[in-house]
Amino acid sequence: MIVLTRVDHRLLHGQVAFSWTNNIGADCILIANDDVVNNELRKTTMKLAKPQGVKLVIKSIKDSIEALKSGVTDKYKLFIVVESVKDAYLLANEVEEIKQINLGGTKAADGTRNISKAVNLFPEDETMLNQLKNKNIEIEIRQVPTDSKIIF
């Protein structure tokens, strides 16, 4: 069961590992990212940030979609973490069980628009998020679970 999908450019770090995982009761974290899966340094960093007693799986976007659609992840309370809106969009378009996406942090860059304290979106990000909203996927903005939920 997918509990939450989060967009966070830092992927797995203390805020995600402990406050979000505990708050939503996840017992498995899926890092869906095409770089981390092939980057041993980033992979090691993710493993060090993993909370005790929680399974960590790191897969490419394509392999994540295949795993999620196959049902192999159904036995877990799954917390999916992606690095970008595009990655969340790709997953949500292929995996019907994704009903909620949390925007936790995206980097500011040339061409982005700041929409909250830590969320900066390119115009194409906003287009993708609006398409997901039209599919009745809730898009919400919160850095930590105790923040008030802001609907995109």
Side-chain angles (χ1 to χ4, degrees):
M1 173 176 74
I2 297 170
V3 181
L4 182 67
T5 301
R6 177 178 168 92
V7 177
D8 191 321
H9 67 94
R10 297 181 295 165
L11 292 171
L12 189 57
H13 54 88
Q15 194 177 73
V16 169
F18 297 100
S19 62
W20 276 105
T21 303
N22 287 336
N23 183 273
I24 63 175
D27 59 8
C28 182
I29 299 171
L30 169 62
I31 303 293
N33 184 272
D34 290 339
D35 180 62
V36 174
V37 77
N38 295 309
N39 183 322
E40 290 304 318
L41 179 61
R42 288 186 80 191
K43 202 182 297 184
T44 300
T45 304
M46 298 294 140
K47 289 176 181 173
L48 290 172
K50 178 189 87 66
Q52 290 267 334
V54 175
K55 183 177 178 69
L56 175 66
V57 178
I58 300 170
K59 290 187 175 289
S60 68
I61 296 297
K62 180 179 176 274
D63 289 347
S64 295
I65 291 168
E66 286 176 14
L68 292 164
K69 290 174 90 171
S70 77
V72 72
T73 60
D74 290 353
K75 61 187 173 194
Y76 297 108
K77 292 178 185 169
L78 192 62
F79 181 21
I80 302 171
V81 184
V82 298
E83 191 170 44
S84 68
V85 169
K86 181 181 176 189
D87 289 348
Y89 178 81
L90 292 171
L91 287 178
N93 270 321
E94 294 291 331
V95 180
E96 291 181 15
E97 291 76 18
I98 295 176
K99 300 293 184 201
Q100 180 184 23
I101 296 174
N102 164 260
L103 301 177
T106 57
K107 287 183 185 174
D110 284 344
T112 60
R113 184 172 74 92
N114 178 267
I115 65 164
S116 78
K117 184 176 171 184
V119 176
N120 303 280
L121 300 175
F122 287 103
E124 55 269 28
D125 292 335
E126 293 189 51
T127 299
M128 288 185 275
L129 291 171
N130 282 320
Q131 288 175 2
L132 293 175
K133 272 178 56 177
N134 290 338
K135 294 175 72 174
N136 293 321
I137 296 173
E138 181 183 82
I139 312 292
E140 55 109 341
I141 302 165
R142 279 189 292 173
Q143 281 190 281
V144 293
T146 54
D147 287 347
S148 296
K149 184 189 287 191
I150 299 169
I151 301 298
F152 173 80

